[in-house]
Amino acid sequence: MRPKPRLRLRPRPPEPSGARRLARRHPGALLALFLCSTGGALAALALPAALGHTVDRLVDGGPVPWAGLLLCAVLTLAETGFDAGAAVLTTSTGARLTAHLRTRTTARVLAAEPRRALAVPTGDLTARLTARTADAATAPVTAAGAVAGVLLPLGAIVGLFVIDPWTAAAFLLGAPLLVALLHTFTRRTADAGADYQRAQSVIAHRLTEALDGADTIRAARTGAREYRRILEPLTTLAAHGRRTWAVYGRAAGQSALLLPLLMLLVLAVGGLRLHAGAIGVGDLVAASRYAALAVGIGSLTGALGALARSRAAARTLDPLLTLDPLPHEGRGPAPGGPGHLELRDVGVVQDGKQDGNQEGKQDGKQDGMQGGEPLLNGEPDRKPLLTGVHLTVPGGTSLAVVGRSGSGKSVFAAVVGRLLDPDTGTVLLDGVPLTAMDPALLRPEIAYAFARPALPGTTVEDTIAFGPWTAGPAAVREGARAARADGFVGLLPYGYATPLTDAPLSGGERQRLGLARAFAHPGRLLILDDALSGLDTVTEHHVRRALDERAGRCTRVIVAHRLSSAARADRVLWLEDGRVRATGPHEELWADPEYRAVFRTETGEAEETAEADEGPGAGADGALPRARTEEVEAR
């Protein structure tokens, strides 16, 4: 008996990526960082006063001021210790916040409808989930640690006023220039950082596209052109990088000119006040130290730059963190239902962006557990993908979905398993609308297998066991046997314990692992989206027999490109341009020449089709009998 999933009856509200929300995750660590930064700043501010007092005692003569010297030593050690603690807390807390933000952002993407979540191109999405989350997560850490950067100059100015107002006034003469420098630096750093991140996203997206189409690029011998296309944004990236360093360089150059002038002005006024007898030697020493602290804006500019980058990164994460989760009413499937599937006037409109043809995108799509098919990756369009689909699939039967490329087969497969919500109409499973079901209750009832499945997990057993619940060893091996994967798995160095990195897999073997995972997580609905395309004829025959053994217990929807898959199904759905052209048994549809033409266009089926159409063994109506189909498969 499979474990009951944890439920969430209400969708979570959108969550912004603000620093305050992140700060609530580790308030203790951030408080400790704040205290360390404050403690270090206070020790640094107290040291000049203690040093000045000790110098005055030494200048005045008399016994050595051991207490003052000890206090200076203690303050120096305290400043060093607090700074070391702040450094450790900054690193560890930043890492934990980054992990949390990545997990939360990924969860929001996976909980949303795939075509909404994947409105961001794949490479850009990867960059946001990795580099951008790391930048955004530094905001609360930087803010907690920036106390020292603010407290030191402000405290130093107060210390100057306490020692001598005239000395402090001399420093304040140049303060407006210092403030203007900080403001300009922060604004330009934020702009340059945002542009740099955008250029990184373009490179990441192009690289992801090239990796997905590596076989096509190799076959077309366009590797050099793809290399140039991927690296073309490097020129822009380099320009933004140089611009960032130019901002830092100008700020450093201006501060290198401004800060010594401020120091010289403070020391000149302090020297005149010393000559006039208004302050002592120790006061002048303390004033020089305070002036150095007041003009030391390096830590402050660094904090401001980090905060600017964090804000720019957070803005790119907001569209992901505000994605609406799949709506539902908290209902579950009807208990013990056979998998009766019903579609009522279902329509899907491509209401966003897409690269090329929809069916073509399915050739490179990943497993449904990674979000399904990317419907939005290009120029805006309103192309209808499915229109007015009415269909009833009795529980426990098999349905083959056929049609030419671009007819909407994979969109249909996504809709019936709720990887995609229809724009019009309703899909019901055992009388309950899919949109009313809690995804946590629905997902264990539906198993998917794809042409190019994702293989998460460390070992072969891990990837087969991965799913809505972790399948046990017995279920893993039973699923592998049903998918005819146990043979090649047994030849691996460590069998099912073989790491995936040490298991070179062909396309067909990857498909069989994906099928094994689907078989290991039985539900009332099994959807195969071209999941048999990489299998040889004999293996496909045995897999289809395993599918037939589930008759009466599981409804099977098979996106079919091969004649043999359609011939074996209880019923065939023939799609054309997103509309239902016809439904019925394969033998009845075979009488239509246009139906037969669908299979002539499929590679590897032309001979089988021609033999069925003209050769001996065909029925009077030209249909290929089931016995003949099995004979071809076995051969």
Side-chain angles (χ1 to χ4, degrees), residues 86-107:
V88 172
L89 288 169
T90 296
T91 303
S92 59
T93 307
R96 289 199 294 269
L97 289 177
T98 299
H100 164 72
L101 185 56
R102 283 176 179 165
T103 301
R104 183 157 60 93
T105 307
T106 303

Side-chain angles (χ1 to χ4, degrees), residues 44 47 103 108 119 130 168 217 255 275 283 324 373 375-376 403-404 407 412 443 445 453 472 487 494 529 531 577 589:
L47 183 58
T103 301
R108 295 294 296 194
T130 52
I217 294 171
S255 61
H275 180 72
D283 292 332
D324 292 327
E373 59 191 62
L375 299 179
L376 307 175
R404 299 180 187 275
S407 60
F412 177 88
R443 195 50 54 201
E445 301 294 336
Y494 304 103
D529 189 355
D577 296 328
L589 297 178

Side-chain angles (χ1 to χ4, degrees), residues 371-392:
E373 59 191 62
L375 299 179
L376 307 175
N377 280 328
E379 294 302 322
D381 196 0
R382 296 288 301 176
K383 175 185 176 182
L385 303 178
L386 287 179
T387 304
V389 177
H390 290 274
L391 183 69
T392 299

Side-chain angles (χ1 to χ4, degrees), residues 235-443:
T235 303
T236 304
L237 187 71
H240 293 318
R242 287 192 295 268
R243 177 180 158 203
T244 301
W245 285 111
V247 171
Y248 276 97
R250 280 194 294 270
Q254 292 166 354
S255 61
L257 178 64
L258 176 60
L259 302 185
L261 290 177
L262 287 176
M263 282 288 297
L264 181 61
L265 183 59
V266 170
L267 291 177
V269 173
L272 292 175
R273 298 291 287 169
L274 175 65
H275 180 72
I279 60 175
V281 175
D283 292 332
L284 181 60
V285 172
S288 65
R289 293 280 297 175
Y290 280 130
L293 292 176
V295 300
I297 63 169
S299 60
L300 185 57
T301 54
L304 291 174
L307 287 173
R309 289 192 300 273
S310 296
R311 287 189 61 188
R315 283 194 293 270
T316 66
L317 296 180
D318 279 338
L320 303 180
L321 289 169
T322 54
L323 283 171
D324 292 327
L326 283 173
H328 62 88
E329 299 173 8
R331 300 171 63 182
H340 182 86
L341 193 62
E342 185 177 358
L343 288 82
R344 300 176 180 171
D345 194 27
V346 168
V348 178
V349 176
Q350 179 183 311
D351 58 352
K353 304 173 183 178
Q354 179 177 340
D355 279 338
N357 137 335
Q358 181 60 31
E359 290 292 328
K361 293 294 285 185
Q362 298 312 300
D363 294 338
K365 83 177 173 197
Q366 293 295 310
D367 195 308
M369 287 179 288
Q370 289 193 333
E373 59 191 62
L375 299 179
L376 307 175
N377 280 328
E379 294 302 322
D381 196 0
R382 296 288 301 176
K383 175 185 176 182
L385 303 178
L386 287 179
T387 304
V389 177
H390 290 274
L391 183 69
T392 299
V393 184
T397 64
S398 60
L399 175 73
V401 185
V402 305
R404 299 180 187 275
S405 179
S407 60
K409 301 187 298 296
S410 290
V411 178
F412 177 88
V415 165
V416 297
R418 210 190 177 190
L419 294 183
L420 175 67
D421 279 345
D423 295 292
T424 60
T426 306
V427 181
L428 300 95
L429 181 63
D430 290 321
V432 182
L434 296 186
T435 53
M437 296 189 208
D438 187 329
L441 290 170
L442 173 64
R443 195 50 54 201

